[in-house]
Amino acid sequence: MELKANYKIWLEYKDKPLLGRGRYALLKAIGKTDSLKKATELLKLNYKTAFNYINKIESRLGGKIILTHKGGKNAGGYTKLTSLGKELVEKYEKAVRGFI
């Protein structure tokens, strides 16, 4: 018999779900690639869905978790995590470490 332990962890804000495994992975990928587009490609996630996730988190928190700059024809654009976005990543990782 093969047994496997499993759990789900998410962060809540004002008693509403805010950040779980998938949205954490999105923020982590943005932090790694400095690009929302590259993060969605890496995670095989629809760009519009990812953008909606970000908007939902920002709306609930009342603050920005990413900073974007459009690049134009010759690229140069980026998406970076704000200090609030980095804090969410750190808090999620701390919560997960507490259960492992």
Side-chain angles (χ1 to χ4, degrees):
M1 173 174 24
E2 184 178 324
L3 299 176
K4 179 175 130 180
N6 200 354
Y7 61 91
K8 289 186 180 185
I9 294 177
W10 62 89
L11 301 179
E12 292 183 351
Y13 182 71
K14 295 185 177 180
D15 296 325
K16 292 186 179 180
L18 183 69
L19 187 74
R21 187 181 310 170
R23 292 178 188 181
Y24 160 77
L26 176 61
L27 294 185
K28 191 76 173 173
I30 290 169
K32 181 180 179 181
T33 63
D34 287 336
S35 167
L36 180 57
K37 184 175 186 292
K38 287 180 185 174
T40 60
E41 290 169 356
L42 184 67
L43 298 172
K44 296 179 174 65
L45 183 64
N46 178 280
Y47 183 89
K48 184 176 180 180
T49 299
F51 195 76
N52 287 338
Y53 286 164
I54 298 294
N55 282 337
K56 192 170 197 173
I57 294 169
E58 290 180 339
S59 177
R60 284 201 179 146
L61 289 176
K64 295 297 227 173
I65 61 170
I66 61 169
L67 174 66
T68 59
H69 175 73
K70 293 184 181 182
K73 276 187 175 181
N74 297 323
Y78 60 81
T79 300
K80 295 187 180 280
L81 295 178
T82 65
S83 58
L84 181 57
K86 290 175 185 175
E87 183 180 350
L88 284 175
V89 168
E90 291 168 7
K91 286 186 184 284
Y92 186 84
E93 289 172 345
K94 185 177 179 182
V96 170
R97 278 194 307 271
F99 280 90
I100 295 177

